[in-house]
Amino acid sequence: MEKTLSPSMHTRLRFLRAFAWCAACSVALVGVAALSGWVFGIGFLKSVVPGWVTMMVNTACTLIAAGLALGVGLPTAPSHARLLLKQLLAGLVTLVGLLTLMEYISGVNLGIDQLLMTDDSTTKLANHPGRMAPATAVCAVASGVSLLLLGLRPRLSQAFALVTLLTALVALVGYVFDVGTLRTVGAYTSMAIHTVTSFMLLSLGIMAAQPLAGFIRVLVSDTAGGTVARSMLASIPVVVFSTGVLLLFGEAQGLYDNRFTLALLATLSMVFLTHVIVRISTRLHRVDLSREQAQRELQALNAMLEHRVVERTQELEVANASLVTEIAERKRAEDDIRRLSFTDELTGLHNRRSFFLLAEQGLKAARRNNLASLLFFIDLDGLKRTNDTFGHEAGDLVITAAAQVLKAGFRDTDVVARIGGDEFVVLAIGAGELPEVISARVQALVDELNRSGRCRYPLSLSIGVISCQPQELRPLDELLAKADALMYANKQQRHGRVER
């Protein structure tokens, strides 16, 4: 989840983790220092200032266990052994606090107060030597439960840590303003000053160790609430405490009485709260202005993007239409190339290549279907003389006229092709007519064309034809050669000499 956080949030999270480590170490060291004071008889380690409340041995051990538990549980994914150690230490803290509270409530001495070391200090409460204060026991229970829930139920863990913080904060206020009732419960001992600060630091460390839960998540966020919270929480405690201390100092110096102190405190509180409200309002106003500006920029960007999309769509439509046209033209060109590769350009008949492909397929089909075929070899007489006498345009007209005659004389299913300058071939599969009948029909069409005058030059055809039976397996080249020979014989018979 942290991979999606902003760089500023990553910086705050690193700071909170470092703070949690420092808090764990500091709390444990305070406990070690107080315990050393008991072991070696060093007074200032036990009470900080002579005459102040002494931290008890059980309290020092509780702080050591709590600091270690926080430090052990700090890794994001602690091992099973670390998690077990953390739970044992937190359970010990909770147990000590609960047993102490039971002693206060029931009035029974369970023998835990001086279990580790005899209290030889000059305490005013000799009936409870070595016993931690009730407020300290409450902090121990709340901190222990908070540590037990650390990493398991972050919100609930922070809630118990907040109980510890508020309890210790009340005692701290009692020390700062010298109000004994805020740090003492009834006739029982009050919390030592280093016990108060240690539990406050411990509770803050527990909350910092779980920065993505509860209120701490808001505090580290980049939202308006997070910005305001970071600003206000950093200044309010300092200002309030400073104001109270200054007013208390002035009263102690006789500069004014307690009524004036109260009036001045109320006035300063109103001024400060007004300043806080104005500051919060200003920050939220800036956030709203930034959000509105961002929305306007986003709307402008969306409009620009929509305009670009429309322009791009139009360009694509034009390009697509051009592409469609280009594809159609290319298809037509390919069709023309394909047609030209299989069609005689002058007559529109099949060319030599096309004839051989279709004839081979046709003869195979005829053999499969047991059909007889007729193969005609037709030569245009006198084409060379026409070209020499009248020009090649005249020769082309004669060739075209011959092609028209052959188209008319044969069926649409017959393969009619021009395979040379003046040579035509026709494959008629399953004709159903005698070759003499077909040849006569073609000759009649030639005579009719010559009589009609549609062709300015006389047309003459020599025809050779062979019959191909289904059982014959002779190759097409051999069949064409035989038909060519019969055509040549027909030409000699009709003209008495060879004329190409």
Side-chain angles (χ1 to χ4, degrees), residues 487-498:
M487 179 276 299
Y488 192 71
N490 176 261
K491 183 186 293 286
Q492 285 183 323
Q493 181 182 0
R494 293 174 58 244
H495 300 285
R497 59 186 177 86
V498 179

Side-chain angles (χ1 to χ4, degrees), residues 446-462:
V446 171
D447 295 340
E448 180 182 353
L449 178 67
N450 290 331
R451 289 194 302 271
S452 67
R454 294 197 303 272
C455 183
R456 291 181 294 172
Y457 311 101
L459 181 64
S460 175
L461 298 176
S462 298

Side-chain angles (χ1 to χ4, degrees), residues 89-231:
L89 292 171
L92 178 62
V93 173
T94 308
L95 180 62
V96 173
L98 284 174
L99 291 177
T100 303
L101 288 177
M102 288 177 61
E103 287 183 326
Y104 280 118
I105 295 172
S106 64
V108 178
N109 189 352
L110 299 178
I112 65 169
D113 299 332
Q114 301 185 84
L115 181 63
L116 299 178
M117 190 172 296
T118 301
D119 184 4
D120 58 354
S121 63
T122 57
T123 176
K124 294 186 293 183
L125 299 176
N127 54 333
H128 299 304
R131 183 178 298 180
M132 66 175 64
T136 304
V138 171
C139 288
V141 173
S143 299
V145 175
S146 180
L147 289 168
L148 285 171
L149 298 174
L150 179 67
L152 303 176
R153 298 287 298 278
R155 290 178 180 272
L156 197 56
S157 175
Q158 289 183 355
F160 278 97
L162 186 61
V163 172
T164 303
L165 178 63
L166 294 178
T167 304
L169 182 61
V170 170
L172 180 63
V173 172
Y175 271 106
V176 173
F177 295 100
D178 195 22
V179 182
T181 56
L182 293 181
R183 63 178 189 270
T184 306
V185 179
Y188 300 110
T189 57
S190 61
M191 297 179 67
I193 184 62
H194 44 332
T195 302
V196 172
T197 54
S198 295
F199 274 115
M200 289 183 64
L201 190 59
L202 177 64
S203 62
L204 292 174
I206 293 173
M207 288 189 284
Q210 304 167 104
L212 296 179
F215 175 73
I216 307 300
R217 180 181 178 87
V218 179
L219 188 63
V220 300
S221 68
D222 293 323
T223 61
T227 303
V228 172
R230 288 191 297 274
S231 175

Side-chain angles (χ1 to χ4, degrees), residues 86-386:
K86 187 263 292 184
Q87 296 297 83
L88 289 175
L89 292 171
L92 178 62
V93 173
T94 308
L95 180 62
V96 173
L98 284 174
L99 291 177
T100 303
L101 288 177
M102 288 177 61
E103 287 183 326
Y104 280 118
I105 295 172
S106 64
V108 178
N109 189 352
L110 299 178
I112 65 169
D113 299 332
Q114 301 185 84
L115 181 63
L116 299 178
M117 190 172 296
T118 301
D119 184 4
D120 58 354
S121 63
T122 57
T123 176
K124 294 186 293 183
L125 299 176
N127 54 333
H128 299 304
R131 183 178 298 180
M132 66 175 64
T136 304
V138 171
C139 288
V141 173
S143 299
V145 175
S146 180
L147 289 168
L148 285 171
L149 298 174
L150 179 67
L152 303 176
R153 298 287 298 278
R155 290 178 180 272
L156 197 56
S157 175
Q158 289 183 355
F160 278 97
L162 186 61
V163 172
T164 303
L165 178 63
L166 294 178
T167 304
L169 182 61
V170 170
L172 180 63
V173 172
Y175 271 106
V176 173
F177 295 100
D178 195 22
V179 182
T181 56
L182 293 181
R183 63 178 189 270
T184 306
V185 179
Y188 300 110
T189 57
S190 61
M191 297 179 67
I193 184 62
H194 44 332
T195 302
V196 172
T197 54
S198 295
F199 274 115
M200 289 183 64
L201 190 59
L202 177 64
S203 62
L204 292 174
I206 293 173
M207 288 189 284
Q210 304 167 104
L212 296 179
F215 175 73
I216 307 300
R217 180 181 178 87
V218 179
L219 188 63
V220 300
S221 68
D222 293 323
T223 61
T227 303
V228 172
R230 288 191 297 274
S231 175
M232 296 298 101
L233 289 180
S235 60
I236 288 177
V238 175
V239 173
V240 172
F241 266 80
S242 301
T243 302
V245 170
L246 289 175
L247 291 176
L248 186 62
F249 177 78
E251 184 179 343
Q253 297 297 317
L255 300 177
Y256 37 76
D257 57 13
N258 58 354
R259 287 182 175 273
F260 183 82
T261 302
L262 183 62
L264 187 59
L265 179 61
T267 303
L268 292 176
S269 298
M270 287 187 291
V271 171
F272 178 69
L273 290 176
T274 302
H275 169 72
V276 169
I277 293 173
V278 171
R279 188 172 179 181
I280 293 175
S281 301
T282 302
R283 285 183 174 271
L284 293 178
H285 180 66
R286 291 175 180 174
V287 170
D288 288 339
L289 290 179
S290 299
R291 185 181 295 109
E292 292 176 359
Q293 178 65 23
Q295 289 178 346
R296 287 194 294 269
E297 293 177 356
L298 181 60
Q299 290 174 353
L301 180 61
N302 288 335
M304 182 180 66
L305 289 176
E306 290 178 359
H307 179 67
R308 289 185 178 179
V309 168
V310 171
E311 290 182 344
R312 185 57 178 165
T313 302
Q314 293 175 348
E315 293 175 0
L316 289 175
E317 289 176 352
V318 173
N320 187 52
S322 176
L323 182 61
V324 170
T325 303
E326 183 179 345
I327 292 174
E329 292 177 351
R330 182 172 180 177
K331 187 176 183 304
R332 284 195 298 269
E334 290 176 350
D335 291 341
D336 291 341
I337 292 173
R338 189 179 297 106
R339 178 180 55 80
L340 292 173
S341 65
F342 290 99
T343 305
D344 180 62
E345 185 176 2
L346 179 61
T347 63
L349 300 177
H350 294 286
N351 61 14
R352 184 180 187 88
R353 178 184 180 187
S354 177
F355 173 77
F356 272 86
L357 290 173
L358 296 176
E360 291 285 359
Q361 296 173 1
L363 289 174
K364 291 179 181 179
R367 295 186 187 109
R368 287 195 303 267
N369 298 311
N370 198 28
L371 295 175
S373 304
L374 297 177
L375 182 61
F376 294 83
F377 199 105
I378 305 166
D379 187 78
L380 179 59
D381 299 331
L383 178 61
K384 184 177 182 306
R385 186 174 63 251
T386 302

Side-chain angles (χ1 to χ4, degrees), residues 428-470:
I429 299 174
E433 293 181 296
L434 294 174
E436 294 81 3
V437 174
I438 299 175
S439 298
R441 183 168 62 246
V442 171
Q443 191 60 49
L445 291 172
V446 171
D447 295 340
E448 180 182 353
L449 178 67
N450 290 331
R451 289 194 302 271
S452 67
R454 294 197 303 272
C455 183
R456 291 181 294 172
Y457 311 101
L459 181 64
S460 175
L461 298 176
S462 298
I463 302 175
V465 57
I466 62 171
S467 177
C468 305
Q469 299 303 317

